Amino acid sequence: MGVVSRQLLPDWAVLDGSLTTKLPPNVTAATGIDAMVHAIEAYTSKIKKNDLSDLLAKEALRLLGANIEQVCFNGDDQEARSNMLLGSLYAGMAFANAPVGGVHALAYPIGSHFKVPHGLSNAMMLPHVMEFNMRSKQATQQYAELAPIIFPHLQDHMQGADLQIQEDERKHTLYAGKLIEELVVLSHKLSLDIKLQSVGISNDDVALLASESMKQTRLLQNNPVEITLDDAESLYERAL
């Protein structure tokens, strides 16, 4: 059950990176990916996406993408820790204005029924929901726009490909696909096992998870592509 109220929104946010230096690498990784998902889903939110949420999401992803590996492998780096906190704040402000969608909707049942940390359950479903959302040309373009912000090296890597591709739609598909690939690689670099089987989920659990995910209507309505019960089952099966 989620509790939503304006009274829960803070008036001030104190970002002190020194308070996070003892956070274990696996928790640092999972919470960092969670913040990235907040920004990615805000940027592709179907209903309330707006110029302000876009600005916040992109700056969040610039900070998070540039610092997440450093904080996981060198947790005492105060500048990187501070940048992660600021990126997380921006991502939170982004999705407070443009709510999250399918990744969170499918991640919630994983956490509630199998006690999986929220950030890890998001990481598990992220690539599969993103690939599913590429059925939408608009979402594909939005993912393509985010790719070089999160992973600047993709800009150089893809320039050669740009010369071979004339149609914008094919470029967007290529960039979006590379973004998804890089996000999976990032999870592996951070030692996150993003297979559902790693937390004891089997094919026998798919029907339950899919049914529970359909109850997350306040989130599903924000997804760029409608997710049906059959779609949810298929997405969980891919994540196994």
Side-chain angles (χ1 to χ4, degrees), residues 151-194:
F151 302 108
H153 68 272
L154 287 181
Q155 186 70 52
D156 295 332
H157 177 79
M158 302 299 284
Q159 279 180 346
D162 282 349
L163 297 176
Q164 309 297 323
I165 300 175
Q166 301 301 318
E167 302 89 348
D168 285 343
E169 186 176 333
R170 288 182 61 201
K171 289 182 183 179
H172 296 156
T173 300
L174 190 60
Y175 268 87
K178 289 299 295 182
L179 172 60
I180 296 170
E181 290 177 12
E182 289 291 329
L183 287 168
V184 172
V185 170
L186 176 62
S187 289
H188 292 159
K189 282 183 179 179
L190 303 181
S191 299
L192 294 178
D193 193 333
I194 56 175

mmCIF file of all heavy atoms in Angstrom, residues 151-194:
data_model
loop_
_atom_site.group_PDB
_atom_site.id
_atom_site.type_symbol
_atom_site.label_atom_id
_atom_site.label_comp_id
_atom_site.label_asym_id
_atom_site.label_seq_id
_atom_site.Cartn_x
_atom_site.Cartn_y
_atom_site.Cartn_z
ATOM 1 N N PHE A 151 25.417 8.037 -20.318
ATOM 2 C CA PHE A 151 26.670 7.404 -20.743
ATOM 3 C C PHE A 151 27.296 8.251 -21.854
ATOM 4 O O PHE A 151 27.065 7.983 -23.048
ATOM 5 C CB PHE A 151 26.413 5.984 -21.238
ATOM 6 C CG PHE A 151 25.751 5.081 -20.225
ATOM 7 C CD1 PHE A 151 24.417 4.693 -20.365
ATOM 8 C CD2 PHE A 151 26.458 4.620 -19.128
ATOM 9 C CE1 PHE A 151 23.809 3.865 -19.437
ATOM 10 C CE2 PHE A 151 25.853 3.792 -18.184
ATOM 11 C CZ PHE A 151 24.524 3.421 -18.343
ATOM 12 N N PRO A 152 28.061 9.281 -21.494
ATOM 13 C CA PRO A 152 28.627 10.193 -22.502
ATOM 14 C C PRO A 152 29.446 9.496 -23.578
ATOM 15 O O PRO A 152 29.522 9.981 -24.712
ATOM 16 C CB PRO A 152 29.500 11.138 -21.667
ATOM 17 C CG PRO A 152 28.862 11.131 -20.312
ATOM 18 C CD PRO A 152 28.374 9.725 -20.122
ATOM 19 N N HIS A 153 30.051 8.350 -23.257
ATOM 20 C CA HIS A 153 30.865 7.651 -24.251
ATOM 21 C C HIS A 153 30.026 7.166 -25.427
ATOM 22 O O HIS A 153 30.571 6.916 -26.506
ATOM 23 C CB HIS A 153 31.616 6.471 -23.615
ATOM 24 C CG HIS A 153 30.719 5.355 -23.165
ATOM 25 N ND1 HIS A 153 30.145 5.321 -21.919
ATOM 26 C CD2 HIS A 153 30.299 4.231 -23.801
ATOM 27 C CE1 HIS A 153 29.411 4.231 -21.800
ATOM 28 N NE2 HIS A 153 29.495 3.548 -22.926
ATOM 29 N N LEU A 154 28.724 7.047 -25.227
ATOM 30 C CA LEU A 154 27.869 6.618 -26.334
ATOM 31 C C LEU A 154 27.824 7.658 -27.449
ATOM 32 O O LEU A 154 27.592 7.326 -28.604
ATOM 33 C CB LEU A 154 26.447 6.338 -25.841
ATOM 34 C CG LEU A 154 26.252 5.069 -25.010
ATOM 35 C CD1 LEU A 154 24.792 4.919 -24.606
ATOM 36 C CD2 LEU A 154 26.704 3.832 -25.777
ATOM 37 N N GLN A 155 28.036 8.928 -27.099
ATOM 38 C CA GLN A 155 28.016 9.980 -28.107
ATOM 39 C C GLN A 155 29.095 9.729 -29.156
ATOM 40 O O GLN A 155 28.836 9.779 -30.362
ATOM 41 C CB GLN A 155 28.243 11.341 -27.445
ATOM 42 C CG GLN A 155 28.093 12.539 -28.372
ATOM 43 C CD GLN A 155 26.652 12.769 -28.785
ATOM 44 O OE1 GLN A 155 25.765 12.841 -27.949
ATOM 45 N NE2 GLN A 155 26.412 12.884 -30.079
ATOM 46 N N ASP A 156 30.319 9.438 -28.696
ATOM 47 C CA ASP A 156 31.411 9.158 -29.627
ATOM 48 C C ASP A 156 31.209 7.828 -30.331
ATOM 49 O O ASP A 156 31.467 7.697 -31.533
ATOM 50 C CB ASP A 156 32.751 9.149 -28.879
ATOM 51 C CG ASP A 156 33.089 10.511 -28.304
ATOM 52 O OD1 ASP A 156 32.633 11.519 -28.872
ATOM 53 O OD2 ASP A 156 33.789 10.566 -27.284
ATOM 54 N N HIS A 157 30.725 6.848 -29.561
ATOM 55 C CA HIS A 157 30.555 5.506 -30.118
ATOM 56 C C HIS A 157 29.539 5.508 -31.252
ATOM 57 O O HIS A 157 29.695 4.773 -32.244
ATOM 58 C CB HIS A 157 30.107 4.538 -29.021
ATOM 59 C CG HIS A 157 29.831 3.151 -29.508
ATOM 60 N ND1 HIS A 157 30.834 2.235 -29.769
ATOM 61 C CD2 HIS A 157 28.663 2.515 -29.783
ATOM 62 C CE1 HIS A 157 30.291 1.105 -30.188
ATOM 63 N NE2 HIS A 157 28.981 1.251 -30.195
ATOM 64 N N MET A 158 28.508 6.341 -31.106
ATOM 65 C CA MET A 158 27.413 6.309 -32.061
ATOM 66 C C MET A 158 27.586 7.264 -33.237
ATOM 67 O O MET A 158 26.827 7.210 -34.192
ATOM 68 C CB MET A 158 26.102 6.639 -31.351
ATOM 69 C CG MET A 158 25.770 5.701 -30.207
ATOM 70 S SD MET A 158 25.564 3.983 -30.717
ATOM 71 C CE MET A 158 23.945 4.059 -31.455
ATOM 72 N N GLN A 159 28.587 8.149 -33.174
ATOM 73 C CA GLN A 159 28.754 9.113 -34.256
ATOM 74 C C GLN A 159 29.011 8.420 -35.588
ATOM 75 O O GLN A 159 28.489 8.824 -36.630
ATOM 76 C CB GLN A 159 29.883 10.086 -33.925
ATOM 77 C CG GLN A 159 29.446 11.202 -32.995
ATOM 78 C CD GLN A 159 30.551 12.169 -32.669
ATOM 79 O OE1 GLN A 159 31.734 11.911 -32.914
ATOM 80 N NE2 GLN A 159 30.181 13.300 -32.094
ATOM 81 N N GLY A 160 29.819 7.383 -35.552
ATOM 82 C CA GLY A 160 30.079 6.643 -36.779
ATOM 83 C C GLY A 160 28.820 6.001 -37.324
ATOM 84 O O GLY A 160 28.577 5.995 -38.533
ATOM 85 N N ALA A 161 27.997 5.493 -36.417
ATOM 86 C CA ALA A 161 26.738 4.879 -36.846
ATOM 87 C C ALA A 161 25.810 5.926 -37.447
ATOM 88 O O ALA A 161 25.077 5.651 -38.391
ATOM 89 C CB ALA A 161 26.071 4.187 -35.662
ATOM 90 N N ASP A 162 25.847 7.152 -36.896
ATOM 91 C CA ASP A 162 24.987 8.216 -37.408
ATOM 92 C C ASP A 162 25.232 8.466 -38.891
ATOM 93 O O ASP A 162 24.313 8.779 -39.643
ATOM 94 C CB ASP A 162 25.235 9.521 -36.639
ATOM 95 C CG ASP A 162 24.547 9.512 -35.282
ATOM 96 O OD1 ASP A 162 23.734 8.608 -35.046
ATOM 97 O OD2 ASP A 162 24.828 10.406 -34.474
ATOM 98 N N LEU A 163 26.496 8.345 -39.293
ATOM 99 C CA LEU A 163 26.836 8.614 -40.690
ATOM 100 C C LEU A 163 26.201 7.590 -41.623
ATOM 101 O O LEU A 163 25.977 7.871 -42.804
ATOM 102 C CB LEU A 163 28.355 8.607 -40.864
ATOM 103 C CG LEU A 163 29.118 9.688 -40.088
ATOM 104 C CD1 LEU A 163 30.620 9.500 -40.281
ATOM 105 C CD2 LEU A 163 28.696 11.084 -40.538
ATOM 106 N N GLN A 164 25.901 6.413 -41.081
ATOM 107 C CA GLN A 164 25.349 5.340 -41.902
ATOM 108 C C GLN A 164 23.822 5.338 -41.903
ATOM 109 O O GLN A 164 23.203 4.621 -42.677
ATOM 110 C CB GLN A 164 25.856 3.978 -41.386
ATOM 111 C CG GLN A 164 27.366 3.889 -41.217
ATOM 112 C CD GLN A 164 28.104 4.053 -42.531
ATOM 113 O OE1 GLN A 164 27.639 3.584 -43.559
ATOM 114 N NE2 GLN A 164 29.245 4.721 -42.497
ATOM 115 N N ILE A 165 23.230 6.123 -41.003
ATOM 116 C CA ILE A 165 21.778 6.090 -40.848
ATOM 117 C C ILE A 165 21.190 7.454 -41.173
ATOM 118 O O ILE A 165 21.567 8.458 -40.592
ATOM 119 C CB ILE A 165 21.400 5.684 -39.404
ATOM 120 C CG1 ILE A 165 21.964 4.302 -39.075
ATOM 121 C CG2 ILE A 165 19.885 5.690 -39.233
ATOM 122 C CD1 ILE A 165 21.737 3.884 -37.650
ATOM 123 N N GLN A 166 20.264 7.484 -42.078
ATOM 124 C CA GLN A 166 19.648 8.737 -42.488
ATOM 125 C C GLN A 166 18.343 9.010 -41.738
ATOM 126 O O GLN A 166 18.030 10.154 -41.426
ATOM 127 C CB GLN A 166 19.377 8.701 -44.000
ATOM 128 C CG GLN A 166 20.621 8.502 -44.842
ATOM 129 C CD GLN A 166 21.663 9.601 -44.625
ATOM 130 O OE1 GLN A 166 21.317 10.771 -44.530
ATOM 131 N NE2 GLN A 166 22.915 9.212 -44.548
ATOM 132 N N GLU A 167 17.598 7.976 -41.424
ATOM 133 C CA GLU A 167 16.285 8.163 -40.825
ATOM 134 C C GLU A 167 16.408 8.357 -39.316
ATOM 135 O O GLU A 167 17.077 7.586 -38.635
ATOM 136 C CB GLU A 167 15.377 6.972 -41.105
ATOM 137 C CG GLU A 167 15.176 6.666 -42.584
ATOM 138 C CD GLU A 167 16.226 5.703 -43.122
ATOM 139 O OE1 GLU A 167 17.218 5.460 -42.403
ATOM 140 O OE2 GLU A 167 16.049 5.212 -44.239
ATOM 141 N N ASP A 168 15.737 9.389 -38.783
ATOM 142 C CA ASP A 168 15.769 9.664 -37.352
ATOM 143 C C ASP A 168 15.227 8.485 -36.551
ATOM 144 O O ASP A 168 15.751 8.162 -35.482
ATOM 145 C CB ASP A 168 14.945 10.917 -37.035
ATOM 146 C CG ASP A 168 15.660 12.191 -37.437
ATOM 147 O OD1 ASP A 168 16.885 12.143 -37.648
ATOM 148 O OD2 ASP A 168 14.992 13.231 -37.543
ATOM 149 N N GLU A 169 14.186 7.837 -37.055
ATOM 150 C CA GLU A 169 13.569 6.740 -36.318
ATOM 151 C C GLU A 169 14.558 5.606 -36.076
ATOM 152 O O GLU A 169 14.626 5.046 -34.979
ATOM 153 C CB GLU A 169 12.349 6.229 -37.078
ATOM 154 C CG GLU A 169 11.563 5.177 -36.306
ATOM 155 C CD GLU A 169 10.310 4.751 -37.041
ATOM 156 O OE1 GLU A 169 9.767 5.558 -37.835
ATOM 157 O OE2 GLU A 169 9.865 3.609 -36.821
ATOM 158 N N ARG A 170 15.346 5.280 -37.073
ATOM 159 C CA ARG A 170 16.348 4.218 -36.905
ATOM 160 C C ARG A 170 17.453 4.644 -35.946
ATOM 161 O O ARG A 170 17.958 3.838 -35.162
ATOM 162 C CB ARG A 170 16.940 3.839 -38.264
ATOM 163 C CG ARG A 170 15.981 3.066 -39.164
ATOM 164 C CD ARG A 170 16.653 2.697 -40.468
ATOM 165 N NE ARG A 170 17.807 1.841 -40.257
ATOM 166 C CZ ARG A 170 18.798 1.690 -41.133
ATOM 167 N NH1 ARG A 170 18.775 2.360 -42.289
ATOM 168 N NH2 ARG A 170 19.808 0.888 -40.883
ATOM 169 N N LYS A 171 17.815 5.920 -35.989
ATOM 170 C CA LYS A 171 18.811 6.433 -35.046
ATOM 171 C C LYS A 171 18.305 6.311 -33.613
ATOM 172 O O LYS A 171 19.028 5.891 -32.705
ATOM 173 C CB LYS A 171 19.139 7.895 -35.357
ATOM 174 C CG LYS A 171 19.937 8.135 -36.618
ATOM 175 C CD LYS A 171 20.223 9.618 -36.780
ATOM 176 C CE LYS A 171 20.971 9.906 -38.080
ATOM 177 N NZ LYS A 171 21.244 11.352 -38.264
ATOM 178 N N HIS A 172 17.070 6.703 -33.415
ATOM 179 C CA HIS A 172 16.493 6.638 -32.074
ATOM 180 C C HIS A 172 16.470 5.203 -31.564
ATOM 181 O O HIS A 172 16.796 4.939 -30.400
ATOM 182 C CB HIS A 172 15.069 7.205 -32.085
ATOM 183 C CG HIS A 172 15.009 8.658 -32.423
ATOM 184 N ND1 HIS A 172 13.879 9.257 -32.948
ATOM 185 C CD2 HIS A 172 15.937 9.649 -32.324
ATOM 186 C CE1 HIS A 172 14.114 10.542 -33.147
ATOM 187 N NE2 HIS A 172 15.350 10.792 -32.786
ATOM 188 N N THR A 173 16.090 4.279 -32.425
ATOM 189 C CA THR A 173 16.047 2.872 -32.032
ATOM 190 C C THR A 173 17.434 2.372 -31.649
ATOM 191 O O THR A 173 17.602 1.640 -30.657
ATOM 192 C CB THR A 173 15.473 2.014 -33.174
ATOM 193 O OG1 THR A 173 14.148 2.453 -33.471
ATOM 194 C CG2 THR A 173 15.435 0.543 -32.793
ATOM 195 N N LEU A 174 18.424 2.783 -32.414
ATOM 196 C CA LEU A 174 19.798 2.357 -32.143
ATOM 197 C C LEU A 174 20.295 2.911 -30.810
ATOM 198 O O LEU A 174 20.845 2.176 -29.977
ATOM 199 C CB LEU A 174 20.716 2.815 -33.279
ATOM 200 C CG LEU A 174 22.142 2.264 -33.292
ATOM 201 C CD1 LEU A 174 22.132 0.747 -33.393
ATOM 202 C CD2 LEU A 174 22.925 2.859 -34.463
ATOM 203 N N TYR A 175 20.082 4.198 -30.585
ATOM 204 C CA TYR A 175 20.521 4.837 -29.341
ATOM 205 C C TYR A 175 19.777 4.250 -28.143
ATOM 206 O O TYR A 175 20.376 3.992 -27.093
ATOM 207 C CB TYR A 175 20.283 6.341 -29.404
ATOM 208 C CG TYR A 175 21.455 7.133 -29.924
ATOM 209 C CD1 TYR A 175 21.634 7.342 -31.286
ATOM 210 C CD2 TYR A 175 22.387 7.692 -29.056
ATOM 211 C CE1 TYR A 175 22.696 8.084 -31.777
ATOM 212 C CE2 TYR A 175 23.457 8.437 -29.534
ATOM 213 C CZ TYR A 175 23.603 8.638 -30.890
ATOM 214 O OH TYR A 175 24.653 9.365 -31.367
ATOM 215 N N ALA A 176 18.464 4.072 -28.272
ATOM 216 C CA ALA A 176 17.672 3.528 -27.170
ATOM 217 C C ALA A 176 18.115 2.115 -26.822
ATOM 218 O O ALA A 176 18.225 1.751 -25.645
ATOM 219 C CB ALA A 176 16.189 3.542 -27.537
ATOM 220 N N GLY A 177 18.383 1.324 -27.842
ATOM 221 C CA GLY A 177 18.862 -0.032 -27.607
ATOM 222 C C GLY A 177 20.194 -0.056 -26.894
ATOM 223 O O GLY A 177 20.414 -0.872 -25.985
ATOM 224 N N LYS A 178 21.092 0.837 -27.284
ATOM 225 C CA LYS A 178 22.398 0.919 -26.622
ATOM 226 C C LYS A 178 22.246 1.363 -25.170
ATOM 227 O O LYS A 178 22.984 0.895 -24.297
ATOM 228 C CB LYS A 178 23.314 1.886 -27.368
ATOM 229 C CG LYS A 178 23.804 1.378 -28.712
ATOM 230 C CD LYS A 178 24.619 0.085 -28.583
ATOM 231 C CE LYS A 178 25.914 0.286 -27.825
ATOM 232 N NZ LYS A 178 26.720 -0.963 -27.757
ATOM 233 N N LEU A 179 21.302 2.266 -24.915
ATOM 234 C CA LEU A 179 21.070 2.694 -23.540
ATOM 235 C C LEU A 179 20.662 1.516 -22.670
ATOM 236 O O LEU A 179 21.194 1.337 -21.564
ATOM 237 C CB LEU A 179 19.982 3.774 -23.504
ATOM 238 C CG LEU A 179 19.493 4.186 -22.108
ATOM 239 C CD1 LEU A 179 20.631 4.749 -21.265
ATOM 240 C CD2 LEU A 179 18.351 5.184 -22.216
ATOM 241 N N ILE A 180 19.742 0.713 -23.159
ATOM 242 C CA ILE A 180 19.294 -0.445 -22.389
ATOM 243 C C ILE A 180 20.455 -1.404 -22.144
ATOM 244 O O ILE A 180 20.651 -1.907 -21.027
ATOM 245 C CB ILE A 180 18.140 -1.161 -23.117
ATOM 246 C CG1 ILE A 180 16.923 -0.237 -23.202
ATOM 247 C CG2 ILE A 180 17.770 -2.468 -22.407
ATOM 248 C CD1 ILE A 180 15.806 -0.745 -24.098
ATOM 249 N N GLU A 181 21.251 -1.656 -23.177
ATOM 250 C CA GLU A 181 22.416 -2.531 -23.026
ATOM 251 C C GLU A 181 23.367 -2.000 -21.964
ATOM 252 O O GLU A 181 23.875 -2.757 -21.120
ATOM 253 C CB GLU A 181 23.154 -2.653 -24.361
ATOM 254 C CG GLU A 181 22.417 -3.447 -25.419
ATOM 255 C CD GLU A 181 23.167 -3.460 -26.744
ATOM 256 O OE1 GLU A 181 24.357 -3.049 -26.763
ATOM 257 O OE2 GLU A 181 22.579 -3.862 -27.764
ATOM 258 N N GLU A 182 23.634 -0.704 -21.992
ATOM 259 C CA GLU A 182 24.581 -0.108 -21.050
ATOM 260 C C GLU A 182 24.044 -0.144 -19.621
ATOM 261 O O GLU A 182 24.819 -0.277 -18.665
ATOM 262 C CB GLU A 182 24.896 1.331 -21.452
ATOM 263 C CG GLU A 182 25.744 1.450 -22.707
ATOM 264 C CD GLU A 182 27.167 0.952 -22.510
ATOM 265 O OE1 GLU A 182 27.680 1.060 -21.376
ATOM 266 O OE2 GLU A 182 27.768 0.462 -23.480
ATOM 267 N N LEU A 183 22.745 -0.005 -19.447
ATOM 268 C CA LEU A 183 22.168 -0.083 -18.107
ATOM 269 C C LEU A 183 22.306 -1.486 -17.524
ATOM 270 O O LEU A 183 22.561 -1.661 -16.328
ATOM 271 C CB LEU A 183 20.695 0.340 -18.145
ATOM 272 C CG LEU A 183 20.452 1.843 -18.336
ATOM 273 C CD1 LEU A 183 18.985 2.115 -18.655
ATOM 274 C CD2 LEU A 183 20.887 2.631 -17.098
ATOM 275 N N VAL A 184 22.171 -2.498 -18.372
ATOM 276 C CA VAL A 184 22.385 -3.874 -17.918
ATOM 277 C C VAL A 184 23.851 -4.078 -17.546
ATOM 278 O O VAL A 184 24.172 -4.666 -16.497
ATOM 279 C CB VAL A 184 21.962 -4.884 -19.006
ATOM 280 C CG1 VAL A 184 22.371 -6.299 -18.618
ATOM 281 C CG2 VAL A 184 20.455 -4.815 -19.232
ATOM 282 N N VAL A 185 24.748 -3.585 -18.381
ATOM 283 C CA VAL A 185 26.187 -3.677 -18.094
ATOM 284 C C VAL A 185 26.505 -2.982 -16.781
ATOM 285 O O VAL A 185 27.295 -3.482 -15.965
ATOM 286 C CB VAL A 185 27.014 -3.065 -19.247
ATOM 287 C CG1 VAL A 185 28.482 -2.924 -18.846
ATOM 288 C CG2 VAL A 185 26.889 -3.922 -20.502
ATOM 289 N N LEU A 186 25.890 -1.816 -16.546
ATOM 290 C CA LEU A 186 26.129 -1.079 -15.308
ATOM 291 C C LEU A 186 25.718 -1.901 -14.091
ATOM 292 O O LEU A 186 26.465 -1.970 -13.101
ATOM 293 C CB LEU A 186 25.365 0.247 -15.335
ATOM 294 C CG LEU A 186 25.442 1.102 -14.068
ATOM 295 C CD1 LEU A 186 26.886 1.524 -13.797
ATOM 296 C CD2 LEU A 186 24.536 2.328 -14.177
ATOM 297 N N SER A 187 24.569 -2.522 -14.146
ATOM 298 C CA SER A 187 24.133 -3.360 -13.027
ATOM 299 C C SER A 187 25.132 -4.468 -12.750
ATOM 300 O O SER A 187 25.463 -4.761 -11.590
ATOM 301 C CB SER A 187 22.749 -3.958 -13.309
ATOM 302 O OG SER A 187 21.738 -2.973 -13.260
ATOM 303 N N HIS A 188 25.643 -5.079 -13.800
ATOM 304 C CA HIS A 188 26.631 -6.148 -13.631
ATOM 305 C C HIS A 188 27.928 -5.602 -13.046
ATOM 306 O O HIS A 188 28.532 -6.227 -12.165
ATOM 307 C CB HIS A 188 26.902 -6.829 -14.975
ATOM 308 C CG HIS A 188 25.735 -7.614 -15.484
ATOM 309 N ND1 HIS A 188 25.567 -7.958 -16.806
ATOM 310 C CD2 HIS A 188 24.649 -8.121 -14.838
ATOM 311 C CE1 HIS A 188 24.447 -8.647 -16.953
ATOM 312 N NE2 HIS A 188 23.876 -8.750 -15.783
ATOM 313 N N LYS A 189 28.358 -4.434 -13.509
ATOM 314 C CA LYS A 189 29.570 -3.805 -12.961
ATOM 315 C C LYS A 189 29.437 -3.565 -11.460
ATOM 316 O O LYS A 189 30.404 -3.672 -10.711
ATOM 317 C CB LYS A 189 29.846 -2.479 -13.660
ATOM 318 C CG LYS A 189 30.468 -2.571 -15.035
ATOM 319 C CD LYS A 189 30.747 -1.174 -15.559
ATOM 320 C CE LYS A 189 31.388 -1.199 -16.935
ATOM 321 N NZ LYS A 189 31.627 0.190 -17.441
ATOM 322 N N LEU A 190 28.230 -3.223 -11.048
ATOM 323 C CA LEU A 190 27.983 -2.901 -9.645
ATOM 324 C C LEU A 190 27.629 -4.143 -8.828
ATOM 325 O O LEU A 190 27.216 -4.035 -7.671
ATOM 326 C CB LEU A 190 26.852 -1.874 -9.545
ATOM 327 C CG LEU A 190 27.073 -0.558 -10.315
ATOM 328 C CD1 LEU A 190 25.895 0.385 -10.114
ATOM 329 C CD2 LEU A 190 28.373 0.101 -9.895
ATOM 330 N N SER A 191 27.796 -5.321 -9.443
ATOM 331 C CA SER A 191 27.566 -6.612 -8.784
ATOM 332 C C SER A 191 26.120 -6.813 -8.345
ATOM 333 O O SER A 191 25.839 -7.457 -7.330
ATOM 334 C CB SER A 191 28.501 -6.771 -7.576
ATOM 335 O OG SER A 191 29.848 -6.732 -7.981
ATOM 336 N N LEU A 192 25.190 -6.251 -9.119
ATOM 337 C CA LEU A 192 23.773 -6.494 -8.872
ATOM 338 C C LEU A 192 23.310 -7.643 -9.759
ATOM 339 O O LEU A 192 23.448 -7.573 -10.972
ATOM 340 C CB LEU A 192 22.949 -5.242 -9.188
ATOM 341 C CG LEU A 192 23.174 -4.015 -8.302
ATOM 342 C CD1 LEU A 192 22.320 -2.859 -8.799
ATOM 343 C CD2 LEU A 192 22.849 -4.327 -6.848
ATOM 344 N N ASP A 193 22.784 -8.682 -9.153
ATOM 345 C CA ASP A 193 22.233 -9.800 -9.910
ATOM 346 C C ASP A 193 20.783 -9.449 -10.230
ATOM 347 O O ASP A 193 19.927 -9.421 -9.338
ATOM 348 C CB ASP A 193 22.305 -11.092 -9.104
ATOM 349 C CG ASP A 193 22.028 -12.323 -9.954
ATOM 350 O OD1 ASP A 193 21.310 -12.188 -10.970
ATOM 351 O OD2 ASP A 193 22.512 -13.416 -9.616
ATOM 352 N N ILE A 194 20.505 -9.178 -11.483
ATOM 353 C CA ILE A 194 19.183 -8.658 -11.847
ATOM 354 C C ILE A 194 18.275 -9.732 -12.451
ATOM 355 O O ILE A 194 17.287 -9.420 -13.122
ATOM 356 C CB ILE A 194 19.297 -7.448 -12.786
ATOM 357 C CG1 ILE A 194 20.097 -7.784 -14.049
ATOM 358 C CG2 ILE A 194 19.925 -6.274 -12.058
ATOM 359 C CD1 ILE A 194 20.115 -6.641 -15.064
#
